Amino acid sequence: MKNFILLISALFLISICYSQEKTTKRKKIGHKYEIGIPYKNVESKVNVFHSYNNTIVAVRRTSDEVIIQTFDGKSKKQISLNSYIAAEMFPENWLFEGVSFSGDIGYFFYSSWDGGDVKHERLFTKYIDLKTGAFFDEDAEEFITVDGKIRMSQIWGDGLLDVSYGSWNGADKFRFKKNEKTGNLSIRYTRKPKLKSDKKNFDVYGIKVVDSDFKDVFTAEYEMPYTETEMEVLDYILGNDNSIKLLIKKYFDRSGDENKKDQINYDLEVLELLPDGNIKFRSIDIPNFYVTDLKMNEENNGTISCVGYYSFGGRKAQTNGVFLFKINPNGELILGSVNEIPVSLINKYSTNGDSHKNERKAEKDKNTDLTLLELRNVHFSDDGSVTIIGEGSVEKATNKYYYHWYLDTYIIKLNPDGNIAWMEKIGKKQKGGSPKYAIGFQYFFKNDKHIIAYLDNFRNLNLPEDKAPDTHLIGHGGFLFVTTIDDATGNKSTSKVLDVRKTKAYREFIDFETGTFFINDNNLHVETMIPNKKRTLVSIEVD
């Protein structure tokens, strides 16, 4: 998920009277939004929002406290705030790992290392009563105990629970993956290697799976069949049968290089970590291209879908197209679809000169001006179709500054047979320093619509297809745009929600990766800073 917002960084100072206990409604072109009642600012690096009945629950982690807030779902007025001093509640060396929710309960995960003669790595969960917005009085439950040390950083998976922020405070020992179909949750860790050489070390992964009520399903450890330099985990899923399925690059040697003498130096394999502790192998025949990025999913019938981007020139070259592979429960490849991204889509929101140049390159089978796309989001539909959302990005450094460029967004839907259903593109050119505040976009799928929210230059609204987008420089105003794309037809519409230049504090940014954006009902919600050291929740209708 990506930084993006400033989002109103003081939405309409001119109309909010902070002394009045009422919400403020605004109607702009395309979307209505509502500003909640302001509340005291809490400086926190971790913010997890969750909708529960008609209540919004926020769990925050500051440098020395854990704070739980509840808000009325309609007025966005703060109902309760419970603050807990971390030093009094948790061990001295505790590290935050993540938060998840199920029913009336929230699960606050943290890890702790017991040194000395014990040498145990442990994962605990402290239970949150969502009805009251407070921790239960009971002591934390010990969830996992590992003899010896585990790695502080992981190299595979996206670490999603409902939200997980391991690594900002040095954590990231335990990672989480939820199966949305079964409601089960997997928790994994990697033991600290015994050998320092990656060419000799065989990683040992620990897996614990619990059901939707957080009852044990199984716990097991697996020694990988290849060394660290012989394999690279691209993605993994918790299967419907509770096995862990890893899609890996299996290198032909121990170099870890994907290219040797202009030849692909790996195969793709699926490693299935079974609940009984065994590992099942499945090889995948791939065409003559390089996989640059992918995501996995398991359909209801047990078929595994792998979708992503490929390149003819290696991972660091430009993106050439999209692929979709499907593997049946017997391990057989039943679909291998490859589609190049056409020049007609690349040329949208380009100058005539660039378009002609791309056409000439395509005629000569040379690379166009399409940059390397980063796979931001994938939506897997129940009918087997897949929608891929990617974004061009470039990082440039000077003697004084480090810049991040977030460029055009590509949205491509593939039918269940792998053919292209429709393609769309959002022309944008965002530029910002580090950290990457207010750039990129946020994606949601709701009511059969793909929803993309981003901050952009006002000149890019209703941008002609033969014109390149103007640069939006972070910290210099901008419009909040919302683009919706109909899943069935691919019809696209973009509208502005608000102009942040009309706020006096538009330079106060929100770090969008802290979880301040979430969706429920037909509304997008975002928390934003406002003047006088306060915050507020803003709701935006998207349907």
Side-chain angles (χ1 to χ4, degrees), residues 111-171:
S111 61
S112 175
W113 164 251
D114 292 331
D117 297 331
V118 182
K119 292 183 172 57
H120 282 167
E121 198 80 66
R122 298 188 294 173
L123 178 70
F124 295 87
T125 183
K126 182 76 174 170
Y127 298 102
I128 302 171
D129 185 349
L130 299 185
K131 295 179 181 179
T132 62
F135 281 120
F136 284 99
D137 292 334
E138 290 82 1
D139 292 337
E141 179 180 342
E142 189 170 324
F143 219 64
I144 295 177
T145 300
V146 182
D147 293 332
K149 285 191 173 184
I150 62 179
R151 280 184 168 173
M152 290 290 289
S153 61
Q154 304 295 324
I155 58 173
W156 48 281
D158 55 11
L160 292 179
L161 255 308
D162 287 285
V163 178
S164 178
Y165 296 98
S167 76
W168 78 267
N169 60 353

Side-chain angles (χ1 to χ4, degrees), residues 119-319:
K119 292 183 172 57
H120 282 167
E121 198 80 66
R122 298 188 294 173
L123 178 70
F124 295 87
T125 183
K126 182 76 174 170
Y127 298 102
I128 302 171
D129 185 349
L130 299 185
K131 295 179 181 179
T132 62
F135 281 120
F136 284 99
D137 292 334
E138 290 82 1
D139 292 337
E141 179 180 342
E142 189 170 324
F143 219 64
I144 295 177
T145 300
V146 182
D147 293 332
K149 285 191 173 184
I150 62 179
R151 280 184 168 173
M152 290 290 289
S153 61
Q154 304 295 324
I155 58 173
W156 48 281
D158 55 11
L160 292 179
L161 255 308
D162 287 285
V163 178
S164 178
Y165 296 98
S167 76
W168 78 267
N169 60 353
D172 216 9
K173 298 177 183 178
F174 297 90
R175 301 299 293 262
F176 307 79
K177 178 80 75 171
K178 180 178 282 188
N179 184 310
E180 297 298 338
K181 298 181 180 67
T182 65
N184 291 359
L185 179 74
S186 68
I187 307 168
R188 66 171 175 83
Y189 59 87
T190 304
R191 283 190 173 275
K192 187 174 180 179
K194 295 180 179 179
L195 303 174
K196 293 183 178 181
S197 174
D198 292 345
K199 293 183 178 181
K200 297 180 180 180
N201 180 63
F202 294 81
D203 274 335
V204 176
Y205 299 146
I207 302 291
K208 181 183 180 72
V209 175
V210 296
D211 63 20
S212 57
D213 295 321
F214 279 68
K215 304 300 182 183
D216 287 0
V217 175
F218 79 89
T219 301
E221 286 194 345
Y222 308 83
E223 182 176 88
M224 292 297 99
Y226 312 117
T227 66
E228 290 189 66
T229 55
E230 287 180 305
M231 62 176 280
E232 176 187 354
V233 180
L234 298 173
D235 195 20
Y236 81 107
I237 57 172
L238 170 60
N240 300 333
D241 60 356
N242 292 316
S243 66
I244 303 295
K245 299 175 175 64
L246 287 71
L247 185 62
I248 71 167
K249 285 182 177 179
K250 169 58 179 70
Y251 295 102
F252 298 145
D253 53 29
R254 296 189 176 185
S255 67
D257 296 330
E258 63 176 13
N259 187 308
K260 281 293 183 72
K261 297 180 179 179
D262 295 326
Q263 297 294 320
I264 296 176
N265 191 40
Y266 63 86
D267 281 332
L268 293 184
E269 287 187 9
V270 175
L271 302 183
E272 189 171 356
L273 312 185
L274 303 174
D276 63 6
N278 291 315
I279 301 177
K280 184 187 292 186
F281 300 79
R282 300 175 181 178
S283 295
I284 304 174
D285 293 327
I286 61 172
N288 189 31
F289 59 64
Y290 297 88
V291 174
T292 61
D293 210 347
L294 65 76
K295 288 292 182 183
M296 297 176 67
N297 181 61
E298 187 171 19
E299 300 177 10
N300 292 328
N301 61 3
T303 297
I304 298 174
S305 297
C306 304
V307 63
Y309 294 127
Y310 69 85
S311 169
F312 294 132
R315 182 181 295 176
K316 295 182 180 180
Q318 73 167 49
T319 298

Side-chain angles (χ1 to χ4, degrees), residues 42-66:
V42 177
E43 291 291 344
S44 53
K45 292 186 177 181
V46 174
N47 301 281
V48 182
F49 285 86
H50 176 68
S51 295
Y52 167 72
N53 293 337
N54 194 35
T55 303
I56 297 171
V57 181
V59 181
R60 308 182 191 274
R61 166 78 164 97
T62 71
S63 58
D64 54 7
E65 290 181 313
V66 173

